[in-house]
C-alpha cells in the first residue's frame, strides 16, 4: 500500500463512497469534490481524519484541505477509480445548470477556470523574480542569451494568458479544447488587432485594446462560453454523418469573427471599467484601500470570495504593469503564518506545536490554508489578531504605493517581484505582518488550556 492510499480510501469513504463522487479536482492545498448527494458526506468524520486539515463546503463543492501533499492524495484517490478532472457525464448535466446561490456559482466558475492556471502564473512569476535579482545584483545583462531565453519562458503565460484560460474554460464549459485553443491563439495574434493599416471585416473596422489581447482575461472566457453554446446547437441540428466535419468549420467561422468584432471589444471595455473602478478607489486613498483589502483578504479566502478580486489584479497587471492588490493583500499571508508561529512557540503540546509550526512554514511560502483551518480558526483569537495586523500592514503597503510586477501568491520567494516604487514599504509591511502577529499571538492569542484538549 502506498503512503497516501489509506488516507485516500478514508476520504472517499467519508464523502459517501465512489458512487457519490461526480468529479474531483484539486488546487494548491485542497481536494475539491463535486458530490451527487452532499448529505451523504460525513463532514465531522472527515475533519477528524488524520491527514485532513479541515473541510469547507462552498461553491457547490466539498473541499477537503490537505496541505502541500494534496497532489499525492489526489493521485491516490484517482487510483481508486474516481474520475479526475470532472470528465464524467453527470458533470455535463449538473455543473452547467449551476444550481445554488449566485455567489456560489460565481466562485465555482472563477475557481474552476483560474485554479489550473496558477502553477503557470506562479512559475512564471518566480522565473521573472530570479531574473530581477540576477540583473540587479549579479550583473546579468538583459541583452544576454541567458536572460532573453529565461525571460521569454517566464513571460509566456503573461503574454499569452488567453491560451491558458481557453484550455481551462473549455473544460469548464465542455467546449472542444483544440478549437478553444485555436481561437485563443488567433486572439493573441497581432495580425488582426493592432494591424497597420487597420483591418476591416465586410467594411467594419476591427477594433480592440491598444496592447492587444495577450494579457486579457474576460474576453476569452466569454468567447469560449459562446463557443460551447454554438457547438451544442450545431450538434443538435447537423446530421451525425457530417457533424464531425462541419461542426468545427461552422464553429470557427461563426465564433472567430464574433470574438474579434463583438465579444472582444465589448468585454475589453468591461475589463477596463473594472480595473478603472479599482484604480479610482485606490487613488482616493491608497492607505484606506490597503487597510480594507488587507484586513478582509483572509476572511474572503475562508469563504472563497477572494477569487472575485484575483482577476482584477491580473487585469491591472496587463494594463499598467503593476498590481497593487497583491501588495496590500500579500502581508495578510504572513499574518496567518505569524499567528501559527505564535501558537507553535506558546503551546507546550507536541502535536499542537508540530501542526502549528508546519502551518507557519507553508504560510511563509504563501500557502495559508493549513494555518487558517488547522490552527488559527480553530483557536479563534490567532485569526482575529492576524486580521487586525493585516489591516495595519495593508495600510503600510498602500501608503508606499507598492505593487507586484508579476502574478502569483505572496511569500518569501516573491519579494523580488515588488522591487521598484514602494519596495521598502512592502518589506516593512511584510515584517510587521509576520513579527507583529507572532508576538501578539504569543502574548494574547493562545490559551494554555488548549494544550489539555
Amino acid at each position: 500500500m502506498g503512503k497516501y492510499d489509506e488516507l485516500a480510501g478514508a476520504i472517499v469513504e467519508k464523502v459517501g463512497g465512489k458512487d457519490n463522487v461526480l468529479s474531483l479536482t484539486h488546487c494548491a492545498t485542497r481536494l475539491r469534490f463535486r458530490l451527487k448527494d452532499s448529505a451523504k458526506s460525513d463532514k465531522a468524520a472527515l475533519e477528524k481524519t488524520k491527514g485532513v486539515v479541515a473541510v469547507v463546503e462552498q461553491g457547490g463543492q466539498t473541499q477537503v484541505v490537505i496541505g502541500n501533499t494534496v497532489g499525492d492524495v489526489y493521485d491516490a484517490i484517482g487510483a481508486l477509480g474516481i474520475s479526475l478532472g470532472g470528465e464524467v457525464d453527470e458533470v455535463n448535466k449538473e455543473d452547467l445548470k449551476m444550481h445554488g446561490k449566485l455567489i456560489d456559482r460565481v466562485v465555482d466558475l472563477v475557481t474552476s477556470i483560474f485554479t489550473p492556471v496558477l502553477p503557470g502564473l506562479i512559475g512564471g512569476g518566480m522565473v521573472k523574480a530570479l531574473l530581477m535579482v540576477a540583473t540587479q545584483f549579479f550583473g546579468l545583462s538583459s541583452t544576454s542569451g541567458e536572460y532573453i531565453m529565461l525571460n521569454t519562458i517566464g513571460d509566456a503565460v503573461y503574454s499569452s494568458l488567453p491560451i491558458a484560460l481557453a484550455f481551462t474554460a473549455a473544460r469548464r464549459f465542455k467546449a472542444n479544447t483544440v478549437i478553444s485553443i485555436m481561437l485563443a491563439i488567433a486572439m493573441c495574434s497581432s495580425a488582426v488587432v493592432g494591424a497597420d493599416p487597420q483591418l476591416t471585416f465586410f467594411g467594419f473596422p476591427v477594433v480592440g485594446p491598444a496592447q492587444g489581447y495577450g494579457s486579457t482575461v474576460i474576453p476569452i472566457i466569454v468567447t469560449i462560453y459562446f463557443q460551447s453554446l454554438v457547438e451544442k446547437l450545431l450538434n443538435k441540428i447537423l446530421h451525425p454523418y457530417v457533424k464531425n466535419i462541419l461542426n468545427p468549420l461552422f464553429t470557427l467561422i461563426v465564433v472567430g469573427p464574433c470574438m474579434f468584432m463583438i465579444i472582444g471589444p465589448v468585454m475589453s471595455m468591461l475589463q477596463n471599467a473594472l480595473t478603472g473602478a479599482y484604480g479610482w478607489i485606490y487613488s482616493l486613498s491608497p492607505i484606506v484601500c490597503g487597510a480594507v483589502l488587507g484586513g478582509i483578504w483572509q476572511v474572503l479566502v475562508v469563504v472563497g470570495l477572494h477569487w472575485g478580486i484575483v482577476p482584477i489584479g491580473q487585469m491591472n497587471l496587463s494594463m499598467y504593469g503593476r498590481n497593487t492588490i497583491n501588495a496590500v493583500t500579500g502581508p495578510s499571508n504572513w499574518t496567518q503564518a505569524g499567528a501559527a508561529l505564535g501558537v507553535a512557540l506558546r503551546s507546550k503540546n507536541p502535536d499542537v506545536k508540530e501542526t502549528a509550526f508546519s502551518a507557519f512554514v507553508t504560510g511563509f511560502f504563501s500557502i495559508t490554508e493549513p494555518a487558517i483551518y488547522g490552527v488559527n480558526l480553530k483557536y479563534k483569537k490567532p485569526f482575529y489578531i492576524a486580521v487586525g495586523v493585516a489591516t495595519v500592514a495593508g495600510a503600510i503597503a498602500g501608503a508606499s504605493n507598492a505593487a507586484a510586477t508579476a502574478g502569483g501568491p505572496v511569500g518569501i520567494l516573491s519579494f523580488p517581484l515588488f522591487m521598484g516604487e514602494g519596495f521598502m514599504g512592502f518589506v516593512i509591511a511584510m515584517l510587521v505582518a509576520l513579527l507583529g502577529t507572532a508576538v501578539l499571538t504569543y502574548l494574547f492569542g493562545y490559551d494554555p488550556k488548549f494544550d489539555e484538549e
Side-chain angles (χ1 to χ4, degrees), residues 2 39 72 83 87 95-96 115-116 133 157 200 205 221 232 261 279-280 289 301 320 367 377 383 435:
D72 299 305
S83 180
E87 300 295 333
D95 282 13
L96 295 180
T115 299
V133 172
V157 70
T200 60
I221 294 175
K232 287 175 177 59
M261 303 304 295
W280 178 75
C289 185
V301 169
Y320 310 119
I367 305 299
L377 280 177
F383 187 80
L435 301 178

Side-chain angles (χ1 to χ4, degrees), residues 85-379:
E87 300 295 333
V88 291
D89 291 340
E90 290 88 348
V91 178
N92 286 336
K93 297 173 183 176
E94 296 299 324
D95 282 13
L96 295 180
K97 292 180 182 178
M98 289 183 163
H99 297 308
K101 299 177 182 177
L102 175 61
I103 192 65
D104 283 346
R105 284 150 43 193
V106 172
V107 169
D108 184 36
L109 177 65
V110 175
T111 55
S112 64
I113 293 174
F114 270 87
T115 299
V117 180
L118 281 180
L121 294 174
I122 295 169
M126 290 301 98
V127 170
K128 293 175 74 67
L130 290 175
L131 287 175
M132 289 180 188
V133 172
T135 53
Q136 289 278 342
F137 303 109
F138 296 99
L140 179 66
S141 171
S142 60
T143 60
S144 67
E146 295 82 3
Y147 180 93
I148 293 172
M149 180 184 291
L150 292 175
N151 187 60
T152 301
I153 294 169
D155 206 36
V157 70
Y158 297 102
S159 59
S160 303
L161 184 58
I163 297 174
L165 292 175
F167 175 76
T168 57
R171 295 178 64 184
R172 179 63 179 83
F173 298 128
K174 309 302 174 187
N176 183 288
T177 305
V178 174
I179 299 297
S180 299
I181 292 174
M182 288 175 65
L183 290 167
I185 292 172
M187 177 178 275
C188 292
S189 171
S190 60
V192 178
V193 175
D196 187 17
Q198 184 183 47
L199 295 185
T200 60
F201 187 76
F202 291 107
F204 294 95
V206 179
V207 298
Q211 72 275 21
Y213 290 105
S215 299
T216 57
V217 173
I218 298 178
I220 191 62
I221 294 175
V222 176
T223 296
I224 303 309
Y225 177 65
F226 178 57
Q227 174 202 341
S228 72
L229 299 180
V230 171
E231 287 178 342
K232 287 175 177 59
L233 176 62
L234 291 173
N235 276 330
K236 289 181 179 179
I237 63 178
L238 291 175
H239 193 282
Y241 290 161
V242 297
K243 70 179 181 180
N244 287 340
I245 298 173
L246 296 184
N247 193 317
L249 169 64
F250 290 153
T251 298
L252 287 171
I253 63 176
V254 170
V255 178
C258 287
M259 173 181 73
F260 281 119
M261 303 304 295
I262 303 172
I263 298 174
V266 172
M267 290 301 107
S268 292
M269 290 173 60
L270 173 61
Q271 178 168 308
N272 292 345
L274 289 173
T275 55
Y278 168 76
W280 178 75
I281 294 171
Y282 184 83
S283 66
L284 290 178
S285 176
I287 297 175
V288 173
C289 185
V292 172
L293 267 182
I296 68 171
W297 190 253
Q298 295 299 326
V299 178
L300 296 178
V301 169
V302 170
V303 295
L305 296 182
H306 65 300
W307 284 108
I309 301 175
V310 168
I312 298 177
Q314 181 58 42
M315 295 174 201
N316 278 328
L317 196 58
S318 67
M319 288 185 65
Y320 310 119
R322 305 180 85 245
N323 178 7
T324 54
I325 292 177
N326 268 20
V328 299
T329 61
S332 71
N333 289 346
W334 271 18
T335 63
Q336 296 297 328
L341 176 61
V343 171
L345 296 174
R346 188 73 173 84
S347 175
K348 299 274 194 291
N349 185 311
D351 291 336
V352 173
K353 290 178 77 70
E354 180 182 356
T355 300
F357 190 76
S358 175
F360 155 68
V361 172
T362 58
F364 190 66
F365 285 92
S366 79
I367 305 299
T368 59
E369 278 90 343
I372 292 173
Y373 296 109
V375 181
N376 300 338
L377 280 177
K378 181 177 181 179
Y379 302 119

Side-chain angles (χ1 to χ4, degrees), residues 16-100:
K18 291 194 294 184
D19 292 339
N20 195 41
V21 179
L22 287 173
S23 66
L24 171 64
T25 57
H26 77 90
C27 59
T29 59
R30 308 183 190 193
L31 298 168
R32 296 173 177 267
F33 287 94
R34 298 189 68 83
L35 304 177
K36 293 179 182 177
D37 184 358
S38 58
K40 293 181 179 179
S41 175
D42 191 340
K43 181 179 178 181
L46 267 175
E47 290 180 323
K48 294 177 182 177
T49 303
K50 185 175 177 59
V52 173
V53 175
V55 179
V56 181
E57 294 178 342
Q58 64 184 32
Q61 300 175 334
T62 296
Q63 301 179 10
V64 183
V65 183
I66 301 296
N68 292 337
T69 60
V70 66
D72 299 305
V73 180
Y74 176 81
D75 291 338
I77 292 176
L80 298 176
I82 299 293
S83 180
L84 302 180
E87 300 295 333
V88 291
D89 291 340
E90 290 88 348
V91 178
N92 286 336
K93 297 173 183 176
E94 296 299 324
D95 282 13
L96 295 180
K97 292 180 182 178
M98 289 183 163
H99 297 308

